[in-house]
Amino acid sequence: MSLKEDILEVSRRMLMKHGFGKMSMRKIAKQVEVSATSIYLHFKNKDELLLELIDLSIANLTRAINKNVEEGDDPVTKLEKMADSFLDFAIKYPQEYEIIYMVRPEEMPEYPKEKFEQVRKIYEMLADILREGDRAGMLKVDNPLTSSYIIWAQLHGVASVIISKRLDTRIPTDEFMKQAKDHIIQGFIKQKTPA
Amino acid sequence: MSLKEDILEVSRRMLMKHGFGKMSMRKIAKQVEVSATSIYLHFKNKDELLLELIDLSIANLTRAINKNVEEGDDPVTKLEKMADSFLDFAIKYPQEYEIIYMVRPEEMPEYPKEKFEQVRKIYEMLADILREGDRAGMLKVDNPLTSSYIIWAQLHGVASVIISKRLDTRIPTDEFMKQAKDHIIQGFIKQKTPA
Amino acid sequence: MSLKEDILEVSRRMLMKHGFGKMSMRKIAKQVEVSATSIYLHFKNKDELLLELIDLSIANLTRAINKNVEEGDDPVTKLEKMADSFLDFAIKYPQEYEIIYMVRPEEMPEYPKEKFEQVRKIYEMLADILREGDRAGMLKVDNPLTSSYIIWAQLHGVASVIISKRLDTRIPTDEFMKQAKDHIIQGFIKQKTPA
Amino acid sequence: MSLKEDILEVSRRMLMKHGFGKMSMRKIAKQVEVSATSIYLHFKNKDELLLELIDLSIANLTRAINKNVEEGDDPVTKLEKMADSFLDFAIKYPQEYEIIYMVRPEEMPEYPKEKFEQVRKIYEMLADILREGDRAGMLKVDNPLTSSYIIWAQLHGVASVIISKRLDTRIPTDEFMKQAKDHIIQGFIKQKTPA
DNA sequence: TATGAATGAGCCTTCATTCAT
DNA sequence: TATGAATGAAGGCTCATTCAT
């Protein structure tokens, strides 16, 4: 593994363990067992390092979401799989998830809008599936884009609550996740109206 | 306005703009136009300052949520009003809202559990209404506590997306909010099964 | 007890517990349960407070040393009693002892020479006894002043070693003290040359 | 001279002049004409800096004490030489001497016991000589370890009095030192009992 | 006699970054 | 590609002291 990759790996781990605020170039360098100066050979500065980290995280999330979806799946199954994968990713890599959704534009002066655009692709993917389901008569969707944002917002809320450990300890995480997800998706499934 | 209130106000703004990590006592002092030392006359330390900020925000949110609910309202109406008030508060006072949900346990070693407990009261209130609706045959609720967390998580997701300006610019905020809220609540309303 | 006495008492205790460096006006005030400002009503500033503390300590030591000496005692007994009392005081009130002997002139710019003079009285007392013993043929003293300083220096060494916890743990403090004291005094006792 | 050595030198001086509590990294830096940060390139923190200071001083004292002792010397001569060297060192390098004995365990929470152990070696050396003298019938020693501590304590007292300038100005330092030393050693020399 | 509010100076330390090698 | 030395800025915090009341 190259030094650059080492640095990214360690940074990510540090971000995951101690949060955004405590990620320091020096500490990264020490953990990679390299001089602090060396980081600057691979990244212009801390912001750039962070940016690459975000890039990677977005790529990972995008990949994760599509991982289980198969060509032949029907739209509802696809939707379910995506929702599952989304929540799984958030729970499994909370800080990576947070890099994407919780770093605010204001926090980093040089934060390029295009990163956000990149994330939007995820909603577009979702919107595509909604459209597909609508056409197939399986989903009830007025405005695919709005709906995909609604789904995502809700999933994001669920993920946030779990990640930030705000869930009541009496509620089992797994069950909460499953019920919430069902609730979210159910709202879009077309009721089979008999006769 | 007292110095203490000034400090809180400025802190709140700074916290929101730059996050807890970059919220600095010195910067606050400078902005309040007071010596850094003076802050310590009103707050024991940085953590305590943050804590007080959270306290106030929680109190405000709790008050806001109950503001419109009236004794005679039926459960569904109550639920709607609470959801509305919740989102309204979040949109109107994003900083206060985020203070409550944004600061992470990890960021503050000494974060007292009781603050979280305090927030939990909000869910309990929600749960009470759900129970009431269930008894009245108007809502379909298996587990009131879990359900109230689901509702809240979803609302929180919606609020977050709007506040953090991640909503696609093509989607009007108001409509998004309304649709999302309907979606969330609809999931709990008992279908009137005719004859 | 007056507030002034309270302050002195607390200061002394603080000095004893946490050492010179950590004695702070604020902490004293807090412990006396009085505002920090109030101290300044009784002492011009920290140095003055310290000075009074030293004064008291010197007075205490002087008193302690003479406590057991009785008019009728022969010089050797007097010497022994004084040595005992000296070491006892040092061990029993180590920080008070240290105020006297370890605060260096340089540490406090305004430290008045007269304090040192005051301490010198102790040696003079010692010298008097030596002279008395010499006249009585019980002690062998060439130069009373030098000898009294030698005795004192040695006693001080013994006290220092114990107070600063530099004594090997295998050596019992009591025995060490006793042996050392004997050694010191023995050096001045006239050998009875028989016939 | 390297920066590290400069820092040590300045620290040593400052420590002696104002005590550990008032020895400040910033002041050291300013005096060395270097940024405060730079000190941290050579010492992990203030405590470590002090520790290194102590280390060096102990090493120097140990070396100094043995400097004049020769293999063939008889025990009494060895003892005399060591005492002389000890006092010489204390008078010649008062700062280094005091570093060893002045800094108190309480002042530094993390003070490693091993440093004290290191100093104890000096007493062991002394004890060895006492044992040797006892075996040779030249010294009268009951418990070598205790005795070596007694000797040292007394020497230390003598050194302290001189260094801290508490000696009465009427007494010439040299003579005081010589007389005191004789007194201390004399106490252990076996009287030649004729016939 | 007592105090709450305020402050400037100072403390130790960490940080991101640069420069010469 | 790599580094050791250096630094200015900043951070949280404590301190002795003053002032108005």
Side-chain angles (χ1 to χ4, degrees):
Chain A
M1 212 190 322
S2 76
L3 173 51
K4 182 164 182 177
E5 277 167 332
D6 274 348
I7 294 171
L8 283 169
E9 180 57 30
V10 166
S11 307
R12 182 159 40 235
R13 239 177 8 235
M14 195 164 291
L15 204 58
M16 305 222 274
K17 245 193 201 154
H18 306 105
F20 192 87
K22 292 200 175 165
M23 191 186 105
S24 109
M25 298 299 255
R26 270 151 117 100
K27 275 188 255 169
I28 292 168
K30 186 168 284 176
Q31 209 158 105
V32 184
E33 290 185 302
V34 100
S35 89
T37 325
S38 290
I39 299 183
Y40 290 86
L41 297 172
H42 299 278
F43 303 91
K44 208 183 141 204
N45 53 32
K46 201 182 172 187
D47 280 1
E48 296 263 308
L49 170 54
L50 222 48
L51 248 42
E52 283 216 34
L53 232 41
I54 297 177
D55 267 358
L56 285 175
S57 297
I58 292 176
N60 285 343
L61 175 56
T62 311
R63 196 180 318 119
I65 284 177
N66 289 307
K67 195 181 57 182
N68 293 320
V69 176
E70 283 166 45
E71 266 307 305
D73 291 340
D74 67 273
V76 173
T77 306
K78 279 185 184 166
L79 201 53
E80 296 237 359
K81 283 185 174 177
M82 285 183 81
D84 280 334
S85 300
F86 183 91
L87 291 177
D88 282 349
F89 182 88
I91 271 57
K92 204 164 166 191
Y93 308 106
Q95 296 268 6
E96 215 162 335
Y97 177 84
E98 294 203 300
I99 296 178
I100 304 175
Y101 288 115
M102 294 190 173
V103 175
R104 321 280 287 295
E106 306 97 306
E107 285 206 40
M108 285 197 306
E110 312 279 339
Y111 195 85
K113 291 267 171 186
E114 46 175 286
K115 298 292 163 200
F116 285 123
E117 305 298 323
Q118 215 172 322
V119 187
R120 285 191 182 158
K121 274 183 201 154
I122 297 179
Y123 319 139
E124 301 287 357
M125 281 166 24
L126 213 58
D128 284 346
I129 293 177
L130 292 179
R131 258 185 288 269
E132 191 187 332
D134 191 43
R135 274 197 303 273
M138 300 180 77
L139 296 174
K140 180 186 55 191
V141 177
D142 291 339
N143 181 332
L145 186 64
T146 305
S147 294
S148 74
Y149 264 85
I150 288 178
I151 290 178
W152 167 65
Q154 294 179 348
L155 286 175
H156 174 56
V158 171
S160 296
V161 169
I162 296 172
I163 289 178
S164 62
K165 293 182 182 144
R166 247 95 179 174
L167 193 57
D168 191 297
T169 43
R170 289 167 287 175
I171 302 173
T173 306
D174 281 357
E175 198 179 318
F176 174 72
M177 245 170 69
K178 197 188 164 323
Q179 275 195 38
K181 189 204 66 179
D182 284 348
H183 242 279
I184 294 168
I185 293 185
Q186 211 58 37
F188 290 93
I189 292 185
K190 211 163 201 165
Q191 303 289 336
K192 282 166 201 154
T193 40
Chain B
M1 210 187 328
S2 77
L3 172 53
K4 183 164 184 177
E5 278 167 333
D6 276 348
I7 295 172
L8 282 169
E9 183 55 34
V10 167
S11 306
R12 186 147 40 221
R13 239 163 23 223
M14 197 167 290
L15 181 57
M16 286 310 98
K17 241 193 200 151
H18 307 104
F20 180 68
K22 291 201 174 167
M23 171 185 124
S24 117
M25 299 300 257
R26 271 140 119 109
K27 273 190 272 178
I28 293 169
K30 190 166 284 176
Q31 210 157 107
V32 185
E33 291 185 302
V34 101
S35 89
T37 320
S38 289
I39 298 184
Y40 290 88
L41 295 175
H42 300 279
F43 304 91
K44 209 181 143 204
N45 54 32
K46 201 182 166 190
D47 281 2
E48 298 259 312
L49 171 52
L50 180 64
L51 248 43
E52 194 143 339
L53 234 38
I54 297 178
D55 265 0
L56 287 174
S57 298
I58 291 176
N60 287 342
L61 176 56
T62 310
R63 198 179 316 120
I65 284 177
N66 288 306
K67 197 181 53 183
N68 293 319
V69 177
E70 283 165 47
E71 266 306 304
D73 291 340
D74 68 90
V76 173
T77 307
K78 278 186 185 164
L79 200 55
E80 297 238 357
K81 282 185 175 177
M82 284 183 82
D84 280 334
S85 301
F86 184 91
L87 290 177
D88 281 350
F89 181 88
I91 271 59
K92 203 166 167 190
Y93 308 106
Q95 305 185 335
E96 295 208 39
Y97 178 82
E98 291 209 288
I99 287 175
I100 304 176
Y101 293 113
M102 197 181 102
V103 180
R104 324 302 292 276
E106 308 95 279
E107 289 213 33
M108 278 201 313
E110 309 278 339
Y111 196 86
K113 291 264 171 180
E114 45 175 287
K115 297 292 159 199
F116 286 126
E117 305 297 322
Q118 218 171 321
V119 187
R120 282 183 186 166
K121 275 184 200 153
I122 299 180
Y123 319 138
E124 301 286 357
M125 282 165 24
L126 212 59
D128 284 345
I129 293 177
L130 292 180
R131 256 185 288 269
E132 191 187 331
D134 191 41
R135 274 199 302 273
M138 300 179 77
L139 296 174
K140 181 186 54 191
V141 179
D142 290 339
N143 181 331
L145 187 65
T146 305
S147 294
S148 74
Y149 265 83
I150 289 178
I151 290 177
W152 166 65
Q154 294 177 347
L155 285 174
H156 173 54
V158 171
S160 295
V161 169
I162 296 171
I163 290 178
S164 63
K165 297 184 179 142
R166 257 146 173 125
L167 192 58
D168 192 297
T169 43
R170 287 166 289 173
I171 302 173
T173 305
D174 281 357
E175 196 180 320
F176 174 71
M177 242 171 71
K178 196 188 166 321
Q179 274 195 39
K181 190 204 65 179
D182 284 348
H183 240 278
I184 292 167
I185 293 184
Q186 211 59 37
F188 288 93
I189 292 185
K190 211 164 202 164
Q191 303 289 338
K192 282 167 203 152
T193 40
Chain C
M1 214 189 322
S2 77
L3 174 52
K4 183 163 182 177
E5 277 168 332
D6 276 347
I7 294 171
L8 282 168
E9 179 58 31
V10 166
S11 307
R12 185 163 32 238
R13 232 165 27 225
M14 195 164 291
L15 204 58
M16 305 223 274
K17 246 193 198 152
H18 305 103
F20 192 87
K22 290 200 175 163
M23 190 186 106
S24 109
M25 298 299 254
R26 271 151 117 101
K27 275 189 253 168
I28 293 168
K30 186 168 285 174
Q31 210 158 106
V32 185
E33 291 185 303
V34 101
S35 90
T37 325
S38 292
I39 298 184
Y40 290 86
L41 298 172
H42 299 279
F43 303 91
K44 207 184 145 206
N45 53 32
K46 201 182 171 186
D47 280 1
E48 297 263 307
L49 170 53
L50 223 47
L51 247 42
E52 284 216 31
L53 233 39
I54 297 177
D55 267 358
L56 287 175
S57 297
I58 292 176
N60 286 341
L61 176 56
T62 311
R63 197 181 316 121
I65 284 177
N66 289 307
K67 197 180 54 181
N68 294 318
V69 177
E70 283 165 47
E71 268 306 306
D73 291 339
D74 68 272
V76 172
T77 307
K78 278 185 185 165
L79 200 55
E80 296 237 0
K81 283 186 174 177
M82 284 184 83
D84 280 333
S85 301
F86 183 89
L87 290 177
D88 282 349
F89 181 88
I91 272 57
K92 202 164 167 192
Y93 309 106
Q95 296 269 8
E96 218 162 330
Y97 177 84
E98 293 203 299
I99 295 178
I100 305 175
Y101 288 115
M102 294 190 173
V103 176
R104 320 282 286 294
E106 307 95 309
E107 286 205 40
M108 286 196 307
E110 312 279 338
Y111 195 85
K113 292 268 171 185
E114 47 176 283
K115 298 292 162 201
F116 285 123
E117 305 300 322
Q118 217 172 319
V119 186
R120 284 190 183 159
K121 276 183 202 155
I122 298 179
Y123 319 138
E124 301 287 358
M125 281 165 27
L126 213 56
D128 283 346
I129 293 177
L130 292 180
R131 258 184 289 268
E132 190 188 332
D134 191 41
R135 275 197 303 271
M138 301 179 76
L139 296 174
K140 179 187 53 193
V141 179
D142 291 338
N143 182 332
L145 187 63
T146 306
S147 293
S148 75
Y149 264 84
I150 288 178
I151 290 178
W152 167 65
Q154 293 178 345
L155 285 174
H156 174 55
V158 171
S160 295
V161 168
I162 296 173
I163 290 179
S164 62
K165 293 180 183 148
R166 246 99 179 172
L167 192 58
D168 191 296
T169 44
R170 290 167 287 173
I171 302 173
T173 306
D174 282 356
E175 196 179 318
F176 175 71
M177 247 170 67
K178 197 189 165 320
Q179 275 195 39
K181 189 203 66 179
D182 284 349
H183 241 278
I184 293 168
I185 293 184
Q186 211 58 39
F188 290 92
I189 292 185
K190 211 164 201 164
Q191 304 290 338
K192 283 167 205 152
T193 39
Chain D
M1 213 192 322
S2 78
L3 173 52
K4 185 165 181 175
E5 277 166 333
D6 277 347
I7 294 171
L8 283 169
E9 183 54 33
V10 167
S11 307
R12 187 149 36 222
R13 237 161 26 221
M14 197 167 290
L15 181 58
M16 287 309 99
K17 239 192 202 153
H18 307 104
F20 181 68
K22 292 201 173 167
M23 171 185 123
S24 117
M25 298 300 254
R26 274 138 117 108
K27 273 188 272 177
I28 293 169
K30 189 165 286 176
Q31 208 157 110
V32 184
E33 291 186 300
V34 102
S35 89
T37 321
S38 289
I39 299 184
Y40 291 86
L41 294 175
H42 300 278
F43 305 91
K44 210 181 145 204
N45 53 34
K46 201 183 167 187
D47 281 2
E48 298 259 311
L49 170 53
L50 180 64
L51 247 43
E52 195 142 339
L53 235 37
I54 297 178
D55 265 0
L56 288 174
S57 298
I58 291 176
N60 287 340
L61 175 56
T62 310
R63 198 177 318 118
I65 284 177
N66 289 305
K67 198 180 52 184
N68 294 318
V69 177
E70 283 165 48
E71 266 306 305
D73 291 340
D74 68 274
V76 172
T77 306
K78 278 186 185 164
L79 201 55
E80 296 239 359
K81 283 186 174 177
M82 284 182 84
D84 280 334
S85 302
F86 183 91
L87 291 176
D88 281 350
F89 181 89
I91 272 57
K92 201 166 168 191
Y93 309 106
Q95 305 184 334
E96 293 207 40
Y97 178 82
E98 292 209 287
I99 287 175
I100 304 176
Y101 292 113
M102 198 182 102
V103 180
R104 324 300 291 281
E106 309 96 280
E107 290 212 33
M108 279 203 312
E110 310 277 339
Y111 197 85
K113 292 262 172 183
E114 45 175 287
K115 297 292 161 204
F116 285 125
E117 304 298 323
Q118 219 171 318
V119 186
R120 284 186 184 165
K121 274 182 201 156
I122 298 179
Y123 319 138
E124 301 286 359
M125 282 164 25
L126 213 57
D128 283 346
I129 293 176
L130 292 180
R131 257 184 289 268
E132 193 187 330
D134 191 41
R135 273 197 305 271
M138 302 179 76
L139 296 175
K140 180 185 53 191
V141 178
D142 291 337
N143 181 333
L145 188 64
T146 305
S147 294
S148 74
Y149 265 83
I150 288 178
I151 291 178
W152 166 65
Q154 294 178 350
L155 286 174
H156 173 56
V158 171
S160 295
V161 168
I162 297 172
I163 290 178
S164 63
K165 295 178 182 149
R166 258 150 173 119
L167 192 58
D168 192 297
T169 44
R170 290 166 286 172
I171 304 172
T173 305
D174 280 356
E175 195 179 321
F176 174 71
M177 241 170 72
K178 195 188 165 324
Q179 274 195 40
K181 190 203 68 180
D182 283 348
H183 242 278
I184 293 167
I185 294 184
Q186 212 59 37
F188 290 93
I189 292 185
K190 212 165 200 165
Q191 303 291 338
K192 281 169 204 153
T193 40

